[in-house]
Amino acid sequence: MRNNIHIPWEITVDIFSKLPVKSLCRFKCLSKLFLSLINNPQFMKTHLSQSQTKSQKLLHILGPKFYSLDLESIPSSALPHKFVALNIDFPVRTCIPMYGSCNGLLFLSIGHSPDDESYGMCCVYNPSTRELKSVPECNLVAAGDECLLFQGFGYDDSTDDYKYVMITYFRREIFVYSLRTNNWKMLPDKFIGYKRPYFVLSKFGDFLNGSIHWAAFSLHILEYVIVAFELVDERFKILPIPVPTSHVTAKGYVLFTGNEVLGACIFTVFRLNDTDNFGRQPQLWVMKEYGVKESWSRIFLPNPPPPSTKLYRSSQPYLSTRSFEYEYPLCLCRIGDSDSILMVSHLKESMDRYTKHGAKCRHVKVVSVELLACNITDGTCQKLEIVAYKPTNIWWKPLEVCVESLVSPFKF
Amino acid sequence: MAIMYALKSSDNEIFEVEQKVIEQSETIKKMIEDGAATGEIPLQVSSKTLAKVLEWCKQRQHKTVENENDDNKGKRKKERDEDDDIKEWENKFSDELKADKDVLFDLLLASNYLDLPALLSFLCQLVADMVAGKMPEEIRRMFNIENDFTPEEEKAITAEHGWAFQP
């Protein structure tokens, strides 16, 4: 190859913005100019917008080990086969459930078991750059109210800030952590559901379009709705669901989001009552225009899963069984070269634990995890077996899907 | 009858091209609009590179025309087949460029000069895919980057990202 090719700087930046994060971390030592480019917050944003048009990574957690698998690297024709996931040397050796993710950042609990010294400690982690920032303990929560009703993590565009929001179980108080200020605050108003007008079905929210979303049932209007928390003005709003409430069964109402490639949308899956005219097939709906009820459209699966397929997702702290199994869609993403719904099937055990202030919290332990890739074009469903994935001693939400990004928990 | 334009490469070769094909280049479109292109349009691009540029533009033009003629019936199936065809064509195009990196870099510069954003983005991704797995020393050679770190500084940065050097 010829030497002394002069590539204009803006083209070089364009090329670099399309590189995987791992390559960029390796190329930081090229020169001072490249180090400052790769560490530049504006470049991080350009890279993120490139990344969002491409692959989604599957990240999962099991006990003290942390694995990552690039979903797009899986050729769909290779299913069902075994896949090797990358073992990330996570710096903290303890149980680490996922509380949410956004733009490649994960919000994790690093001391989940009440027996741990670091109980209740959280961190923001970017598994692509391996940067970890500890989150200070929230000392605003009233003693005995440590159990959470629901929680979520997202990005506030107006202040260029990442925020984690949690709502306590008993007092329904709302606490917001800002990554930029590294501080917690309690919002002046309690959650609209202080007197229980809402029954929240999903514990961990999905971030989309500036808001975090949870599946819920309003005891006030007796309808299933989507509860959304807008990060910009830090208030709740309600979005409609596409089917009449009378058709929906609680355990069959599931919410999940698509990614940028397939259109950033909210999806719901419903398992309907036996008595209605739709039959018991799960229905998949997409909200094409955010917030517009009329834009809900049904996606007809060519080969829908059999009626016995369980579609549940949520904390379900209300379930009385000690051991239960459920299956839920994690996300709509591109697996290999086809659009698929990634389904997770869990076998769980629940048990009651006590916080350091004596409050009873139900903890759920995942006994086994199975992943299924359901192709929405041809309706085929294949098992995704991951080598070395041994789900032992994992707690809430052992899986999370997110893009890979350079976004640093320290500077953005 | 399609309007034809004559493009002149830097080594004085003439290419006869349809207006629709060449108007994808914002640079040439502007030259035509400004009336600067009455006879041959002189370009600072070699004939070898220009031939590649036109190959790309013709393929893109082909795609746009077919989509215009589509009726809605059976569009999805047709689109999917077309996507497959385009993918196949792009793969062949990429393979040829990967085999001759001089042509690739000339084409990269030409797509910038001719203001062809789709081609530029396609080539940037191609280069990114080619260099993603390389070591810093190879990248410095390829992009003519001078290492201005002291050995100690370089070692410190490398050590911080040791995992990124593992396969």
Side-chain angles (χ1 to χ4, degrees), chain A residues 160-384:
Chain A
D160 188 19
D161 194 2
Y162 289 85
K163 288 176 178 172
Y164 169 73
V165 55
M166 60 184 195
I167 292 83
T168 60
Y169 192 81
F170 295 111
R171 295 176 175 232
R172 308 283 159 121
E173 285 169 342
I174 309 163
F175 299 92
V176 178
Y177 167 75
S178 147
L179 187 61
R180 187 173 277 282
T181 63
N182 197 30
N183 262 323
W184 288 93
K185 68 174 174 193
M186 185 169 94
L187 298 190
D189 296 323
K190 290 185 176 185
F191 175 53
I192 31 178
Y194 181 48
K195 286 183 178 163
R196 289 207 165 207
Y198 288 97
F199 187 73
V200 178
L201 298 171
S202 49
K203 193 174 172 72
F204 306 102
D206 280 312
F207 176 76
L208 182 79
N209 207 22
S211 298
I212 307 171
H213 305 83
W214 296 267
F217 181 76
S218 163
L219 291 164
H220 182 61
I221 53 171
L222 298 178
E223 275 182 20
Y224 286 101
V225 290
I226 295 168
V227 166
F229 183 74
E230 285 178 88
L231 291 169
V232 175
D233 44 16
E234 297 180 338
R235 61 191 181 93
F236 283 95
K237 64 182 174 191
I238 300 301
L239 300 175
I241 62 160
V243 294
T245 289
S246 58
H247 294 157
V248 180
T249 59
K251 287 170 191 168
Y253 171 28
V254 174
L255 198 68
F256 65 110
T257 52
N259 63 24
E260 300 276 332
V261 184
L262 304 162
C265 307
I266 293 185
F267 293 87
T268 62
V269 175
F270 299 101
R271 194 172 62 130
L272 304 174
N273 288 326
D274 308 16
T275 47
D276 62 57
N277 300 325
F278 298 102
R280 294 187 64 201
Q281 303 284 15
Q283 291 191 358
L284 176 64
W285 291 77
V286 54
M287 189 185 232
K288 289 193 163 162
E289 206 176 320
Y290 183 82
V292 180
K293 186 175 182 179
E294 292 70 34
S295 77
W296 277 114
S297 336
R298 188 169 168 194
I299 297 177
F300 286 89
L301 301 170
N303 194 2
S308 63
T309 304
K310 294 171 287 296
L311 287 164
Y312 302 69
R313 172 182 200 180
S314 70
S315 61
Q316 305 288 4
Y318 322 100
L319 285 178
S320 55
T321 40
R322 300 286 295 177
S323 167
F324 52 97
E325 187 180 9
Y326 61 53
E327 198 171 273
Y328 62 88
L330 188 66
C331 70
L332 181 67
C333 58
R334 199 157 260 268
I335 296 176
D337 47 14
S338 50
D339 300 339
S340 299
I341 301 173
L342 192 66
M343 300 285 293
V344 185
S345 174
H346 283 175
L347 181 64
K348 294 192 171 186
E349 274 174 10
S350 68
M351 63 175 86
D352 295 331
R353 304 293 293 260
Y354 294 85
T355 70
K356 57 186 168 190
H357 296 290
K360 190 165 99 173
C361 288
R362 176 157 294 163
H363 280 237
V364 174
K365 187 172 157 180
V366 180
V367 184
S368 72
V369 180
E370 220 177 68
L371 285 172
L372 285 170
C374 300
N375 186 322
I376 63 166
T377 316
D378 63 17
T380 54
C381 248
Q382 313 244 42
K383 201 171 150 186
L384 217 80

Side-chain angles (χ1 to χ4, degrees), chain A residues 61 63-64 93-97 109-113 116 393-395:
Chain A
I61 285 187
R93 303 247 149 222
T94 177
C95 296
I96 37 179
S109 161
I110 53 176
H112 192 65
S113 162
D116 285 344
N393 197 24
I394 28 175
W395 301 80

Side-chain angles (χ1 to χ4, degrees), chain A residues 2-61:
Chain A
R2 216 169 37 206
N3 280 327
N4 296 320
I5 296 174
H6 178 74
I7 298 174
W9 179 243
E10 63 271 21
I11 297 182
T12 307
V13 174
D14 201 350
I15 293 170
F16 272 63
S17 73
K18 293 174 195 291
L19 282 171
V21 174
K22 190 179 177 184
S23 308
L24 290 169
C25 289
R26 193 166 62 235
F27 296 162
K28 280 185 180 181
C29 68
L30 286 175
S31 74
K32 286 176 182 164
L33 180 63
F34 281 87
L35 178 65
S36 70
L37 171 72
I38 297 165
N39 284 337
N40 181 301
Q42 193 49 51
F43 178 74
M44 286 175 183
K45 280 185 195 161
T46 311
H47 183 270
L48 175 67
S49 61
Q50 290 282 353
S51 190
Q52 280 166 335
T53 65
K54 287 189 287 181
S55 70
Q56 290 248 329
K57 284 216 166 199
L58 167 67
L59 301 149
H60 38 147
I61 285 187

Side-chain angles (χ1 to χ4, degrees), chain A residues 1-8 10-12 14-35 39 50 54 86 127-131 334 337 377, chain B residues 76 80 87 101-102 105-106 108-109 112 120-121 124-125 127-129 131-137 139-149 153-154 157-158 161 163-167:
Chain A
M1 198 176 136
R2 216 169 37 206
N3 280 327
N4 296 320
I5 296 174
H6 178 74
I7 298 174
E10 63 271 21
I11 297 182
T12 307
D14 201 350
I15 293 170
F16 272 63
S17 73
K18 293 174 195 291
L19 282 171
V21 174
K22 190 179 177 184
S23 308
L24 290 169
C25 289
R26 193 166 62 235
F27 296 162
K28 280 185 180 181
C29 68
L30 286 175
S31 74
K32 286 176 182 164
L33 180 63
F34 281 87
L35 178 65
N39 284 337
Q50 290 282 353
K54 287 189 287 181
L86 182 71
S128 307
T129 62
R130 317 218 172 168
E131 284 178 296
R334 199 157 260 268
D337 47 14
T377 316
Chain B
R76 276 187 71 121
R80 215 173 296 142
K87 223 175 196 174
K101 294 190 184 55
D102 288 345
F105 279 91
D106 284 342
L108 194 64
L109 297 177
N112 188 42
L120 183 62
S121 170
C124 285
Q125 186 63 58
V127 177
D129 293 344
V131 304
K134 295 200 185 302
M135 283 294 146
E137 201 41 59
I139 303 299
R140 287 196 194 105
R141 268 202 307 276
M142 204 163 170
F143 288 87
N144 276 308
I145 301 163
E146 193 197 337
N147 181 4
D148 51 2
F149 287 118
E153 285 172 333
E154 191 185 346
I157 299 165
T158 311
H161 301 93
W163 55 271
F165 288 81
Q166 286 156 14

